[in-house]
Amino acid sequence: MYSTLDPAGPAARNIATLWWVMLGGATFIFGLVMILLLLSFTRRKGAGGEARQLRIWVIGLGLVFPLAVLGALFACGLVIGERLLARADPEVTRVSAEARSWAWSFAYEDAPGQRTEGVLHIPAGRPVDVAITTADVIHSFWVPRLAGKLDAIPGRVNVLRIEADLPGTYRGLSAEFSGAGYGGFTFQVTAHDAAGWDAFLEDARR
Amino acid sequence: MKDLLRILIAPLVWLATFSAIYGLLGLICGHGIGGTVLGLSLPRVLLITAYALAILLQVALLAVLYHPRLASRSGFVRFVSRITGWVGLVATGYALFPATVSSVCL
Amino acid sequence: MNALERHRRLTTIWASEPGMRGWVSTVNHTDLGRMFLFTAFVFFVIGGLLAMLIRAQLATPHSAFAGPEIYNQIFTMHGTIMMFLFAIPSFEGLAIYLLPKILGTRDLAFPRLTAYGYWCYVFGGAMLLVSMLLGIAPDGGWFIYPPLSGAIHSPGINIDFWLIGITFVEISAIAAAVEITVSILKYRAPGMSLEKMPIFAWYALITALMILTGFPPLILESVLLELERAFGLPFFQAELGGDSLLWQHLFWLFGHPEVYIIFLPAAGVISTVLPVMCRTTLLGYGWIVAAAVALAFLSFGLWVHHMFTTGIPHMGLAFFSAASTLVAVPTGVQIFAWIGTMWKGRPELHLPMLHILGFFCTFVIGGLTGVMVAVVPFDWQAHDTAFITAHLHYVLFGGFVFPILAGVYYWLPHVTGQRRFFRLGELAFALVFLGFHVTFLAMHWVGLMGQRRRIPTYAPEDGWTAINLISSIGSFVLAIGLAMIVIDVVLHALIAARGKRNPWGAGTSEWAMMTPPPAYNFASLPHVDSRAPLAADPNLAVRLARGEGYLATPRKGWRETLSVDIATGRPEMHVIYPANTRLPVTMSAVTGLFFLSLLVKFYWTVPLALAGVVILAWKWVWGLGCKEDLGALRVREGVTLPNAATAERSPGWWGTLFLLTANATFFGSLLFGFAFLWTVAPGWPPPAWFAGSMVTAGVGCLGALLGPVAMRQAIRANRRGDTPLPGIVLVLIGALGVAIACTAMMLQTPAPMGHAYGATLLVLGGYGLFHAVLGVLMAVFLTARVLSGFTSPARWAEFPIVCLWIDYLSIVSLLILLAGHLPGLLS
Ligand code: HEM
Ligand SMILES: [Cu+2]
């Protein structure tokens, strides 16, 4: 229901893939360290002078190995991050989300005057930019199956790109601690197919 | 005290330039500084210039730490200060690298 | 004099008073280190009990164990206690106990300051505990983000307890950090150059320097938020020109280094204990020192990785993402150097070694998940979920608790002079290790399944039930394991089974003394020319007890020691320590009165408390020094040294220098806050800029410039044998000029309650005024000292100290006047 590992949109999918790759890499490195630790208890060991040991342990395993792995990982993260940004795009639908303790209200560029409380309507299969802000304390807009989260900060508007592959209902969470009502502070995203979206906008206009 | 400074200076300068360039980015985005020079966007030119300066500064520091007259008299301090000198240079080159490729104010 | 008689005479000089009186009047580092550690572990138990409450609450869905109001207090206090009242103080305690012994000397640089820090910690911690017992504990999470923690959304006293209590406790961290820094740089055994320093001292030095530069941003923002809450100065309110992001920047500017402040001492313990457990020496000493320095600096450039979801431009995030991955490299260097050490030696599975293995397993996982959340897109998903809770416990428990337990078991024979009798520890370790991983491993997963951190409860449909139940069961196993460790330690202390003097065969000098350690540590100070003096000379303890070192003959009832040159370890000065006194505990009680008055808004006792602090501080410094020249003092056959009172750079000077480093960081953070608000806060520019007047600004500038010149004149006059008083009077006049300018700025700043701009100027002016008043007080103090004959052309150590403060005053007041007038001039 809330699982980031059951993605239903491109952003969440990218990140889920990233996670699986990182999990694989981390498991491998962890295994390597554990094996090296265990082997230290065996008698037979590659001896050699202090200088040689330094070359192996400090320079090889301590400097070069992490730098290579981390450089690659950072580059991946940078590329994926760039891809998920809310760039200008004629296809985009714009909506806005305002949080207050403890409810979300949503407005729609294509349907001025229409506001919905607790349920965000979006078209499926198209990128949507959510302009996020707050009326009181900091909150955070998060639909785990669609994309990462972005905070609602007083005095600022942050824009998050989301997209749902298929029509359906997705659960959203407010993911920044906000006091007593934080636990139950959730919302919903309803993604419509083209006809449903038109109907929603039509509905709003009436 | 001077020996301690030799060990600390390069990472310290890294910290200062790193924060300064992050501040520059904040200034550019906060005040909507835009425009172009020589066909390149002004923000990018500013950022890359600052990046290059930061690297130059680190190279200069490293040269000082390797200079026979300016380096420490203690072999140990020479060793450690040169490693931290390299740390400063590598950290500058690596951590500020996005200045050249990442999108600026998105 | 034979060894026994020397022991008796030194003991009468150094021992603390008997019975309860000794507890409050001791200034001895062994006593205070033990007291620090004991208190820290009491807080660990309290924090652990709170953790059990958290896990009880989350064990089942729809839990009705505690309502959200109470639950919020529980997890906030758990985090706060663990970070501020357990982790940092146990480092301080360990360093205070160990450093003089491992450095081969008799005490820390400023014994009374150690005691003052301890009592501030106890009183501040007690304040927080009281709030918990009354059910009005802080409830905004351990990083209490405004606006939630502002007066509008949290009107109660809960948050004030956090802001004021933690600031009070941080005084002790700053005090300990100054103390540790100066002790490591100046108070070592003769001959111990930087490269001969035991590795633990390097780690402690780096950690202390990090505290000095890491904690001031936190102290500053606590002051600012308290000013906002109590007096309506709007630093964090977006409508009034403030910015809630300013809090986050300052908090994490402190908060990330804090994590390494916690980890580095633990790494120091490992670097010390591991080679002994492997019967070898540390691989790559120089590399490890460099790695620790690199880690310290890099950790100050990572803070934005806690703010990846706040809408900062992607390039900014990328800078910090890169730096965050980079910080794993020096960590990797240390990890592999340690494994290389194990390969080099023959590891033996003693109890400390088990905990070190526990550290490896746990911390490596924490490091790997740390690298994951350093990748921006992944953090967009993982941020503020249980994944982060799991990650941070892998780092903190793995990177701090396991190493500290290794250290406890390693040095326990030193503290008690006994050996373990029952083998409870091994079983306890197994339970802790198992319990920990059962609690936290699957928690990563439930975070990725969408469980947010800090939620008081959840629904069965959410699909998180099974993992949470497993986690709660694990946590109770963990708790049982920890309880067994406590029992094991208590039994160890109670059952008198005499241990060998150096049970592990270690090479560092803390084992070259009888155990439990005598109050004076070493009957005579060793001359050290190796990183492991005890390994180089197994007979060291006996030779020192026989008086074959420095300062072997007690004289005049003085607590004597030596201080050395920083780089080479050449003996430089002879130092006389102050003896037992109740001044520190009194002074921290009066300091506590100050904070308490602010907390309960009893403002008329605030000046009273302040006056009390001033009087006690006066008494504090007045008690040092002497009225006649001591000349050169013999410290050993053929070696004589001058007393510290004749030095240009006395221990007090060094302490002042590092205190001012922290102070300058505080001031720098304030300027950063000003620049931040000015450039990025919504709601700027303010309705009106501060106009200022040329006259007051001119008076301020002249005063600022006069001070340093006059002070130097006074010093020269004194050295010539003339009276320094005219110079000192000019210093006083200069400080008054600065005070006038700052007061004018505070009075004329536009609408401090209406806009963050005016509020910031008010604080800047207040900061300047505070230092100007301090300058005046110092000038008066120095005059009194001159008149009472405490100074002479040879005894002049106090002048350079005052000079440092006056120089500092001069620089900051010029910057304040500039910052105050610049925006108005620019527009
Ligand atoms: C004794 C075993 C421990 C257990 C079972 C435990 C358990 C927990 C749990 C379940 C939470 C998360 C509450 C939530 O956000 O849902 C938490 C939060 C936290 N813990 Fe622990 N913990 C333990 C030890 C420690 C230690 C040793 C430290 C630090 C040195 C620590 C520092 C923290 C911090 C900083 C938080 C965050 C508090 C906040 O969100 O404001 N914990 N702990
Ligand atoms: Cu961090």
Side-chain angles (χ1 to χ4, degrees), chain C residues 653-679:
Chain C
W653 189 88
W654 287 103
T656 307
L657 184 72
F658 290 107
L659 183 60
L660 285 177
T661 308
N663 197 348
T665 319
F666 181 91
F667 181 65
S669 311
L670 183 56
L671 288 183
F672 162 78
F674 187 27
F676 178 85
L677 290 176
W678 190 2
T679 50

Side-chain angles (χ1 to χ4, degrees), chain B residues 45-68:
Chain B
V45 171
L46 285 175
L47 286 163
I48 292 185
T49 316
Y51 179 44
L53 283 178
I55 291 183
L56 275 182
L57 195 58
Q58 290 289 344
V59 172
L61 276 177
L62 206 54
V64 169
L65 292 172
Y66 272 96
H67 193 284

Side-chain angles (χ1 to χ4, degrees), chain C residues 709-727 791-796 799:
Chain C
V709 177
M711 192 62 218
R712 283 177 175 71
Q713 198 281 327
I715 292 177
R716 270 194 309 272
N718 177 66
R719 293 293 276 168
R720 278 198 310 267
D722 297 342
T723 168
L725 289 182
T791 63
S792 76
R795 273 174 290 119
W796 63 298
F799 287 89

Side-chain angles (χ1 to χ4, degrees), chain B residues 15, chain C residues 83 88 142 206-207 209-217 249-265 295-306 327 396:
Chain B
L15 192 58
Chain C
M83 299 301 270
I88 302 289
W142 85 281
I206 294 167
T207 310
L209 288 172
M210 286 180 76
I211 291 180
L212 290 179
T213 45
F215 278 44
H249 278 291
L250 288 173
F251 189 89
W252 294 113
L253 205 50
F254 144 80
H256 192 85
E258 154 98 344
V259 178
Y260 286 88
I261 290 172
I262 292 175
F263 170 63
L264 281 175
L295 202 61
F297 276 99
L298 290 173
S299 76
F300 277 90
L302 308 183
W303 78 92
V304 170
H305 71 203
H306 297 272
V327 80
L396 289 171

Side-chain angles (χ1 to χ4, degrees), chain C residues 431-448:
Chain C
L431 289 182
V432 170
F433 185 79
L434 250 163
F436 177 83
H437 287 275
V438 173
T439 311
F440 288 106
L441 191 60
M443 200 185 275
H444 293 104
W445 201 259
V446 84
L448 293 179

Side-chain angles (χ1 to χ4, degrees), chain C residues 10 14 29 100 105-107 520-525 551 560-561:
Chain C
L10 280 167
W14 288 82
H29 77 102
T105 178
R106 281 179 176 155
D107 207 330
Y520 55 82
N521 280 353
F522 300 98
S524 60
L525 302 187
L551 295 175
E560 290 173 287
T561 193

